[in-house]
Amino acid sequence: MVDLASTVREFKGSAPVAGVTDAWYWSPAPGLHFCGTLTEDGSRLLQFHFRGPGDEQMVRSITAFARAHGAELTAADPIAAVSGFRCEGRPFDTVAALAPVIAKPYSYERPELTPHVYVMYPGYACEFADGQTEAETLAKERFADPGALDRKPVPFVRMRFRNDRTGAGSMGDERGVARPDVLWHELAELENSPGFVEFENRRRQVWRVEWDGTYRVTESAAPQAAGSREYGREELLAFARERVEG
């Protein structure tokens, strides 16, 4: 059995995190920072890394949160997201953890550690979907660098669309993971354009938008369901942002 505590203490520059049980900080190279904490039974390590200047407050905050919520975070399959996180000076409200089979930490240098290490990062509640799948978690549209401490929220969106005026459209009949700015752009472009935009938020709610002299929104993927409402452009964009960012 891997002794995770002894292993982490041996990492280059490893030092205990003040005030957090079984938590350490280490920096293997200038500008590269790691921290982590063990679950209460010592069998798993919740680890976070970031680049740039050090941030002692983040190190203490995320390790303390992970220590308190270890059972929830290590239930990741493929990802767990636990809200209620706070760090002074940072706007994050959630901590996410990736299962070892997704993150694959230490798969080259220390493969015996990989099954025991969950990679976590701070985030925002709007970024994580109910029942999030492996493909959604790994989609390249999600984050350039989830560990960046200065990043803005990237709300979860799935969408499909067709615009007969511009010739733009998505591939296939399924909604795909997209960046929110693509949704805002295609909603605006739908004006005076035959076609549609269909989008899904993190709660798996779906709306379909069509143009017939005004924006018409149906609160279901099925156009015949539940009736529809008419919107102007700014009203529609505000409506979509509220559903996606909320």
Side-chain angles (χ1 to χ4, degrees), residues 69-171:
H69 297 275
E72 297 161 88
L73 290 167
T74 55
D77 183 24
I79 187 171
V82 181
S83 61
F85 175 69
R86 297 290 182 271
C87 178
E88 185 177 353
R90 302 288 181 183
F92 301 111
D93 60 22
T94 298
V95 171
L98 299 171
V101 69
I102 299 296
K104 299 184 173 79
Y106 304 105
S107 56
Y108 295 106
E109 67 271 33
R110 298 289 296 272
E112 74 279 5
L113 295 181
T114 296
H116 307 283
V117 181
Y118 290 71
V119 173
M120 59 179 177
Y121 58 91
Y124 305 87
C126 64
E127 297 177 326
F128 307 102
D130 295 342
Q132 190 166 307
T133 66
E134 180 176 339
E136 290 169 336
T137 299
L138 296 176
K140 60 182 175 58
E141 293 83 1
R142 298 300 293 127
F143 313 107
D145 179 7
L149 296 184
D150 59 352
R151 71 179 185 84
K152 304 299 183 184
V154 184
F156 179 90
V157 172
R158 289 180 67 99
M159 65 178 288
R160 69 186 186 104
F161 70 99
R162 190 192 75 241
N163 188 311
D164 294 342
R165 176 178 58 83
T166 65
S170 52
M171 300 291 290

Side-chain angles (χ1 to χ4, degrees), residues 137-231:
T137 299
L138 296 176
K140 60 182 175 58
E141 293 83 1
R142 298 300 293 127
F143 313 107
D145 179 7
L149 296 184
D150 59 352
R151 71 179 185 84
K152 304 299 183 184
V154 184
F156 179 90
V157 172
R158 289 180 67 99
M159 65 178 288
R160 69 186 186 104
F161 70 99
R162 190 192 75 241
N163 188 311
D164 294 342
R165 176 178 58 83
T166 65
S170 52
M171 300 291 290
D173 297 328
E174 300 293 326
R175 292 181 291 276
V177 175
R179 294 185 66 84
D181 56 342
V182 176
L183 174 60
W184 316 144
H185 175 78
E186 292 304 331
L187 286 172
E189 285 291 296
L190 193 60
E191 187 171 356
N192 297 317
S193 306
F196 69 91
V197 175
E198 188 178 276
F199 67 95
E200 174 184 342
N201 69 3
R202 68 186 178 97
R203 298 182 178 90
R204 304 301 187 180
Q205 298 168 308
V206 179
W207 292 268
R208 183 182 176 96
V209 184
E210 297 175 284
W211 175 264
D212 64 355
T214 186
Y215 290 102
R216 188 173 295 277
V217 179
T218 304
E219 296 186 15
S220 169
Q224 69 273 18
S228 61
R229 282 191 57 190
E230 296 181 354
Y231 292 84

Side-chain angles (χ1 to χ4, degrees), residues 1-11 22 24 38 41-45 110 112-113 116-117:
M1 181 176 178
V2 176
D3 184 340
L4 291 173
S6 296
T7 299
V8 177
R9 290 189 193 102
E10 293 171 359
F11 287 162
D22 288 335
W24 299 268
L38 301 183
D41 65 1
S43 66
R44 287 160 290 183
L45 174 68
R110 298 289 296 272
E112 74 279 5
L113 295 181
H116 307 283
V117 181

